[in-house]
Amino acid sequence: MPAWTIAAAQYTARNRSVAENIDHHLRFIEAAAKLTCQLIVFPEMSLTGPDTDSPLPPCPTNELLQPLCAAAKRHGMTIIAGLPVDMNGERQKGVAIFVPGASSPLKMHQGQGTCLTPQTQHFSMLASEAGAIELDPNASLLATGTCTCEFQQQQSVQRLQRLAHRYAIAVLKSNYSVGSALWDENGQLIVRADSGDLLLTGRKYEGGWEGDIIPLRESLCAIDENLCGA
């Protein structure tokens, strides 16, 4: 049995209302739950859309985010989604971390990713210009949501491989449209997604990681039908 099962959501970028994006998140979460995932990571700014031509929108209220809190509790799953956060008088790209049993999400600056372990609900952020001393020594995974075009993928891949190798930590990347991936603690690629709406999954065993790609177009249609019939 795997010690940890994780997933990254990949889909076409959506600049829609927060409520619509939450519904889209819930479809991926339901699909990940069927695969017994304990963690799912969404791309950068997933709750508001990655529109970089405009100022960042306001951060969604905790009340609006309650469906994701409920999903985390229902499935015993940690959910990491992207949204704007207000910190030090500035609006920045951030993440909302939903953990089972919590009444509201933990909101943090995006940085280079979220450091976490399968055994605890302790989270820390790897800062944009972090040195090795700033990485939680107990962390076993760096989860990051990105928004990179296909021609930017090589630079993103090289950066994340360096992080994995430098810190001896597995790295899970969720990206819009293409290039979501998982690297092991040596910086070796376990699985990488081409284009399409899908879940990239990783399972941690005693002997190492295994990865898979799960196309979701048909699965999401089936989940939509169930939600409409509920």
Side-chain angles (χ1 to χ4, degrees):
M1 237 181 121
W4 206 10
T5 304
I6 60 178
Q10 177 176 291
Y11 53 87
T12 302
R14 302 160 61 87
N15 286 309
R16 305 192 181 187
S17 73
V18 174
E20 288 177 298
N21 283 324
I22 288 175
D23 286 343
H24 197 60
H25 281 54
L26 291 173
R27 298 182 189 111
F28 275 85
I29 291 164
E30 293 293 333
K34 293 180 184 298
L35 300 170
T36 65
C37 293
Q38 295 126 319
L39 167 73
I40 185 170
V41 181
F42 287 87
E44 176 181 290
M45 298 292 286
S46 62
L47 288 168
T48 57
D51 188 350
T52 57
D53 296 329
S54 305
L56 294 179
C59 179
T61 65
N62 285 345
E63 182 179 4
L64 189 58
L65 298 175
Q66 280 306 302
L68 295 177
C69 290
K73 179 179 180 179
R74 182 167 62 253
H75 298 302
M77 185 187 303
T78 298
I79 302 163
I80 302 179
L83 79 179
V85 294
D86 293 321
M87 291 188 172
N88 302 320
E90 295 183 1
R91 189 160 293 164
Q92 307 171 16
K93 293 179 179 179
V95 297
I97 305 172
F98 303 84
V99 297
S103 60
S104 61
L106 174 65
K107 298 175 184 176
M108 306 173 72
H109 177 257
Q110 178 175 282
Q112 294 189 75
T114 306
C115 302
L116 63 164
T117 70
Q119 294 83 15
T120 70
Q121 293 183 357
H122 174 70
F123 306 93
S124 61
M125 199 59 55
L126 185 61
S128 298
E129 300 296 333
I133 196 171
E134 298 181 62
L135 182 71
D136 182 350
N138 297 314
S140 54
L141 179 74
L142 176 67
T144 181
T146 59
C147 179
T148 54
C149 301
E150 195 159 3
F151 71 87
Q152 297 173 312
Q153 285 295 317
Q154 184 175 0
Q155 182 179 3
S156 173
V157 165
Q158 291 174 345
R159 179 178 66 85
L160 293 173
Q161 282 181 320
R162 286 196 299 270
L163 282 173
H165 183 72
R166 178 180 181 184
Y167 298 124
I169 189 171
V171 175
L172 176 67
K173 177 178 78 164
S174 172
N175 190 59
Y176 291 110
S177 300
V178 66
S180 298
L182 172 67
W183 292 268
D184 70 8
E185 295 82 357
N186 298 312
Q188 297 297 312
L189 180 66
I190 300 301
V191 61
R192 179 186 182 278
D194 292 324
S195 60
D197 289 2
L198 52 85
L199 276 177
L200 179 145
T201 64
R203 288 179 169 82
K204 173 69 171 177
Y205 294 93
E206 185 176 349
W209 287 92
E210 292 182 1
D212 201 2
I213 303 294
I214 312 296
L216 281 191
R217 184 164 299 175
E218 294 180 3
S219 298
L220 289 178
C221 288
I223 293 170
D224 276 337
E225 291 174 1
N226 290 336
L227 291 175
C228 290

